[in-house]
Amino acid sequence: MSKEVWKAGTLVYPVPAVMVSCGNYPEEKNIITVAWTGTVNTNPPMAYISLRPERFSYDIIKRTGEFVINLTTKKLVKACDFCGVKSGRDTDKFAALELTAQKASKISAPIIYESPVNIECRVKQIIPLGSHHMFLAEVVAVDVSAEYMDKTGKFHFNKTNPVCYSHGEYFALGEKLGSFGYSIRKKKPDALQNKNSSTTMKKPRKKNKK
Ligand SMILES: Cc1cc2nc3c(=O)[nH]c(=O)nc-3n(C[C@H](O)[C@H](O)[C@H](O)COP(=O)(O)O)c2cc1C
């Protein structure tokens, strides 16, 4: 198998495409779609978004020091694309998409109520990298839609129909292939395995840590 060597570029895919809401709500609100985002630390929980300085949202987030990462679902994917091709300079994206801005619990930027997971972030550092500036932020609260919680308090994230973005296209999640640590987990007898199968993310059991 031969390889072609390309010039350096960004080809880490798939990635999330999230709707980042910002502004000093209720006076001000906007949404920008962001693919350059992710988790960078567990404790304290920290995330990042990278923005081009020319984005309308850039100045808002720089000034307020706050934003919300709203996760995108199959239902929201068209809205997500819209927020990535229209600017808040000339469009009220909440109004155009009939999305609900709601007061966040800890910050002044609004959450998008229709998104099942809203990650409230407070900016710690802005790192100019080149085309994009990275906003490193601490997660100060997470709002989740109660409809995806079960009686035991478990959040069934994958039932929200999350979407991802891969090389210019949006995709829903496909077939489940495994779960955290399954490569080293001892196989259970078939009958038991089917009985215990679930769509939720579970931590591997300690007894597998040998
Ligand atoms: C799927 C997708 C991903 C995007 N990711 C980013 C990104 O990571 N950073 C960025 O600055 N712009 C990104 N954009 C472009 C902005 O969302 C777009 O320029 C938007 O209109 C800016 O909105 P604003 O001017 O209201 O801030 C992306 C657009 C799409 C469609």
Side-chain angles (χ1 to χ4, degrees), residues 17 30-36 50-52 55-58 80-81 83-89 93 132 165 170:
N30 190 38
I31 309 170
I32 174 174
T33 295
V34 171
W36 295 169
S50 282
L51 299 182
R52 288 184 183 265
R55 306 296 185 224
F56 182 59
S57 305
Y58 178 95
C80 173
D81 185 67
C83 293
V85 291
K86 290 278 182 188
S87 177
R89 275 189 196 95
K93 298 186 218 183
H132 290 64
Y165 178 70
Y170 306 98

Side-chain angles (χ1 to χ4, degrees), residues 129-177:
L129 297 171
S131 60
H132 290 64
H133 292 188
M134 184 180 187
F135 289 74
L136 256 184
E138 185 165 352
V139 175
V140 292
V142 179
D143 313 73
V144 297
S145 297
E147 64 181 288
Y148 299 105
M149 304 284 294
D150 69 19
K151 280 183 214 140
T152 69
K154 190 182 288 175
F155 184 60
H156 293 260
F157 175 73
N158 289 325
K159 288 194 177 158
T160 68
N161 286 317
V163 297
C164 63
Y165 178 70
S166 192
H167 213 210
E169 297 173 307
Y170 306 98
F171 292 89
L173 292 190
E175 180 194 354
K176 177 180 165 183
L177 304 175

Side-chain angles (χ1 to χ4, degrees), residues 106-133:
K106 293 260 174 74
I107 62 174
S108 61
I111 66 164
I112 302 173
Y113 177 77
E114 287 78 3
S115 164
V117 180
N118 322 99
I119 302 163
E120 301 182 26
C121 300
R122 199 165 280 140
V123 178
K124 287 278 176 194
Q125 218 182 324
I126 303 174
I127 306 170
L129 297 171
S131 60
H132 290 64
H133 292 188

Side-chain angles (χ1 to χ4, degrees), residues 60-73:
I60 298 177
I61 297 174
K62 193 172 179 183
R63 170 173 39 86
T64 59
E66 293 173 344
F67 61 88
V68 182
I69 296 173
N70 302 275
L71 299 190
T72 309
T73 62

